[in-house]
Amino acid sequence: MDEPLVFVNIGWMVAYKGPYNDPTIGGHGWLKTHDYGHEAWNFLPESGKLYGYIPRSARINLQRLGAGRKDEQLAGVTVVWVARNPRNGVTYVVGWYRNALLHRENDHFKVSRPNGEVIDYQIEASIDNAKLLTPDQRLLEVPTAKVKGNLGQSPVWYGNEEFVKRIRAYLKVDGVVQSIPKGRASGSPKQLDPEVRKLVELAAVRHAINYYKSPAGGSRTVESVERDNTGWDLTVTGGDVTLKVEVKGLSGSDVRVELTPNEYKKMLSSEHRCMYVVYIVTEALTSAASAHIFYYNKEASQGRNHVWMAEDGRVLHIEQLTGARLTVM
């Protein structure tokens, strides 16, 4: 028999291990006036356990999960955490607790957090039964269209038949989205240009391909479109997410690159910008090669002021030239 499932909509964070250098981003009422929500510690272990906070301390309808009418708790539940990605305003699965213990109300587990706050929780799970996806592994979109049965305004959702079936299959493979082979080879070209600049570019593209194909990058399918003059180098697909990745390689450590007019046009285009990623590899020809990945942030963008931001909070400064020069401030 399948375990009962419940979905909880929380603010978006990277690690959920405290609010320090990891803001809670979301639209529920508390976050409109506070820098973090109590879900900020949902993946910070406490004596081998994790404690999950539900925004607004919302009640859980245990009967919908199979409990009796008078039951105040239920064990063996899978809690799927979902959050809205500030990059594009779309809600995705961000992690889960399996075999969790749920209480109807939120005042059963009192946990003291590192900042001195004592928070009331209603969900408890073993750390061994939990998984948090990195932002680039969050590829399964949650249905939020205003249709009966979809995720609505309540932070607690019990799913609909179609999505529950999909999430069960997703959990069986531990949240790994299987790549679908493409007809076109996704590796870098075999003929290497002897000039250093070309070698740097090739190394950077290879770095990006390897990252997005890896589990950390979402185990995605990568298609090279470098020769198609699309305005980006790689089309990256996985789950419900498509990215258009422009790769830039640097031999040094300073993050400073330029876009061609076509690349810059596509970066700003309303058709492409929510999917447009700037992937910069510094020291590309060394063992210290490092990626600086900037995703469009819909929530931080206002009007014509479009923002591309890394997960660590760095923002691209865009200086418009014939194309554009991008630096990190």
Side-chain angles (χ1 to χ4, degrees), residues 76-151:
V77 180
T78 291
V79 180
V80 179
W81 303 101
V82 307
R84 187 177 66 188
N85 191 337
R87 298 175 187 170
N88 57 9
V90 176
T91 299
Y92 296 98
V93 172
V94 301
W96 52 84
Y97 297 172
R98 304 198 77 162
N99 197 29
L101 174 64
L102 275 63
H103 283 268
R104 190 186 307 277
E105 307 286 352
N106 79 318
D107 56 355
H108 288 270
F109 305 110
K110 296 182 183 296
V111 181
S112 179
R113 291 311 190 180
N115 68 346
E117 284 190 74
V118 177
I119 301 175
D120 292 332
Y121 294 93
Q122 62 204 98
I123 302 175
E124 179 189 68
S126 167
I127 189 173
D128 296 330
N129 293 329
K131 181 169 183 175
L132 175 66
L133 302 172
T134 67
D136 277 325
Q137 293 172 326
R138 300 171 188 177
L139 302 174
L140 188 65
E141 183 176 338
V142 178
T144 58
K146 293 183 179 180
V147 176
K148 185 178 181 180
N150 283 357
L151 175 67

Side-chain angles (χ1 to χ4, degrees), residues 21-293:
N21 300 315
D22 190 10
T24 313
I25 302 171
H28 61 74
W30 174 268
L31 292 177
K32 292 178 180 178
T33 55
H34 296 79
D35 293 332
Y36 64 92
H38 288 160
E39 63 264 46
W41 292 275
N42 276 9
F43 281 86
L44 180 67
E46 177 69 27
S47 301
K49 301 285 187 179
L50 294 176
Y51 294 91
Y53 180 81
I54 300 177
R56 305 202 299 266
S57 301
R59 297 182 68 187
I60 300 174
N61 186 341
L62 296 180
Q63 282 186 269
R64 293 194 62 170
L65 302 177
R69 185 171 61 87
K70 295 184 179 181
D71 290 343
E72 292 296 324
Q73 67 179 44
L74 182 65
V77 180
T78 291
V79 180
V80 179
W81 303 101
V82 307
R84 187 177 66 188
N85 191 337
R87 298 175 187 170
N88 57 9
V90 176
T91 299
Y92 296 98
V93 172
V94 301
W96 52 84
Y97 297 172
R98 304 198 77 162
N99 197 29
L101 174 64
L102 275 63
H103 283 268
R104 190 186 307 277
E105 307 286 352
N106 79 318
D107 56 355
H108 288 270
F109 305 110
K110 296 182 183 296
V111 181
S112 179
R113 291 311 190 180
N115 68 346
E117 284 190 74
V118 177
I119 301 175
D120 292 332
Y121 294 93
Q122 62 204 98
I123 302 175
E124 179 189 68
S126 167
I127 189 173
D128 296 330
N129 293 329
K131 181 169 183 175
L132 175 66
L133 302 172
T134 67
D136 277 325
Q137 293 172 326
R138 300 171 188 177
L139 302 174
L140 188 65
E141 183 176 338
V142 178
T144 58
K146 293 183 179 180
V147 176
K148 185 178 181 180
N150 283 357
L151 175 67
Q153 295 299 312
S154 172
V156 180
W157 180 52
Y158 303 92
N160 57 45
E161 184 177 354
E162 181 180 351
F163 191 71
V164 166
K165 182 178 179 180
R166 191 177 184 201
I167 198 73
R168 290 196 188 282
Y170 183 69
L171 291 171
K172 283 181 180 178
V173 294
D174 204 32
V176 176
V177 177
Q178 300 299 320
S179 295
I180 301 173
K182 296 282 187 177
R184 182 184 301 198
S186 59
S188 55
K190 294 181 179 179
Q191 297 299 323
L192 299 181
D193 191 309
E195 296 179 3
V196 173
R197 182 172 61 83
K198 187 63 176 178
L199 291 175
V200 170
E201 292 174 359
L202 291 169
V205 169
R206 188 162 52 247
H207 193 288
I209 290 172
N210 289 340
Y211 172 69
Y212 283 113
K213 284 186 170 183
S214 73
S219 303
R220 311 192 212 198
T221 297
V222 182
E223 179 184 5
S224 172
V225 292
E226 296 168 86
R227 298 180 181 179
D228 297 343
N229 197 34
T230 58
W232 59 89
D233 295 313
L234 305 173
T235 298
V236 177
T237 55
D240 301 308
V241 180
T242 297
L243 301 177
K244 298 172 180 181
V245 182
E246 175 57 29
V247 183
K248 296 294 181 182
L250 297 167
S251 57
S253 59
D254 291 337
V255 181
R256 181 181 296 269
V257 299
E258 293 187 3
L259 300 183
T260 66
N262 184 43
E263 291 164 354
Y264 186 48
K265 178 181 178 181
K266 297 300 173 61
M267 179 182 183
L268 295 184
S269 163
S270 60
E271 179 184 356
H272 304 293
R273 61 176 172 248
C274 283
M275 297 179 280
Y276 202 98
V277 178
V278 181
Y279 191 108
I280 303 170
V281 182
T282 53
E283 300 182 276
L285 294 179
T286 75
S287 59
S290 180
H292 309 260
I293 314 174

